Amino acid sequence: MRIRKEISKWSVKTFLKLAGILLLIFNGFYLITAWLDGALDQMNTQYILMFCVFYPVLLALFLTSGFRTGAIYINDYENIPDFKKLLDKKIQEENMIPESQTPDQTFYRPGNSFYKLFNAWGGSEKLIASWGREIVISGSLRKVSALEDVLRWNKDFKSAGSP
């Protein structure tokens, strides 16, 4: 079995959107609390830089990396008996629920309520499995990496001729 993994590029557009939203939230919170305390003339410059600029930008960097997608391409799996069934079972064990299924493609959504929240933001947690001569699993980089590890190291996915 041959496995190839591709990771999407880091998105500047996503970073700018998230940074803008977070800058508005953090700065709005800071200005409202300063106004309520009557301390608009006593605002600390170092605190403003840390809380209103550095934290939102840093958080946007982390979130942008977390929203990246990936894909794994699986070839030469024919010598492993019931490979597609085993792979489907492992995907479901990773707390993914089949949303829709055709003979050529299956869409999975997260089963955990925490990840359902992230999935609501543009479907970032969905997985799509295309079943053909080359199996392609694409979606959340976190889930794709976990499946890659399962495929590389799980004994169920080793053929009799594999080392």
Side-chain angles (χ1 to χ4, degrees):
M1 173 176 60
R2 292 180 308 151
I3 300 172
R4 179 173 50 98
K5 179 178 171 184
E6 290 182 1
I7 299 172
S8 67
K9 292 183 179 180
W10 195 83
S11 174
V12 174
K13 186 177 178 181
T14 303
F15 168 73
L16 292 174
K17 284 180 184 178
L18 288 170
I21 291 167
L22 291 171
L23 283 166
L24 282 173
I25 291 170
F26 277 66
N27 286 305
F29 177 76
Y30 185 69
L31 289 173
I32 288 171
T33 55
W35 176 69
L36 290 173
D37 285 342
L40 284 173
D41 57 342
Q42 300 171 6
M43 295 190 340
N44 185 344
T45 308
Q46 291 176 334
Y47 185 76
I48 290 172
L49 286 175
M50 280 301 280
F51 185 75
C52 296
V53 177
F54 181 71
Y55 287 160
V57 169
L58 187 64
L59 190 57
L61 284 169
F62 290 142
L63 287 173
T64 303
S65 295
F67 286 138
R68 290 171 69 186
T69 60
I72 51 176
Y73 300 87
I74 306 163
N75 295 306
D76 301 334
Y77 59 87
E78 292 84 9
N79 56 355
I80 300 171
D82 296 327
F83 180 81
K84 290 180 183 179
K85 289 180 185 176
L86 281 171
L87 183 57
D88 182 55
K89 181 181 170 191
K90 288 295 181 185
I91 291 172
Q92 291 182 30
E93 286 175 2
E94 291 288 325
N95 204 13
M96 298 298 284
I97 300 168
E99 189 174 57
S100 66
Q101 198 165 7
T102 65
D104 296 336
Q105 206 170 45
T106 306
F107 290 89
Y108 297 94
R109 65 176 171 80
N112 185 326
S113 60
F114 179 72
Y115 291 111
K116 283 182 188 177
L117 171 69
F118 288 116
N119 189 47
W121 295 344
S124 63
E125 288 294 316
K126 286 190 177 184
L127 279 181
I128 301 168
S130 299
W131 311 103
R133 282 194 51 76
E134 177 180 61
I135 296 175
V136 180
I137 301 172
S138 59
S140 167
L141 182 60
R142 183 179 60 80
K143 288 292 186 183
V144 167
S145 293
L147 283 172
E148 181 194 21
D149 291 344
V150 166
L151 290 171
R152 289 196 191 276
W153 304 109
N154 194 318
K155 63 180 173 159
D156 295 339
F157 295 101
K158 300 290 182 196
S159 66
S162 294

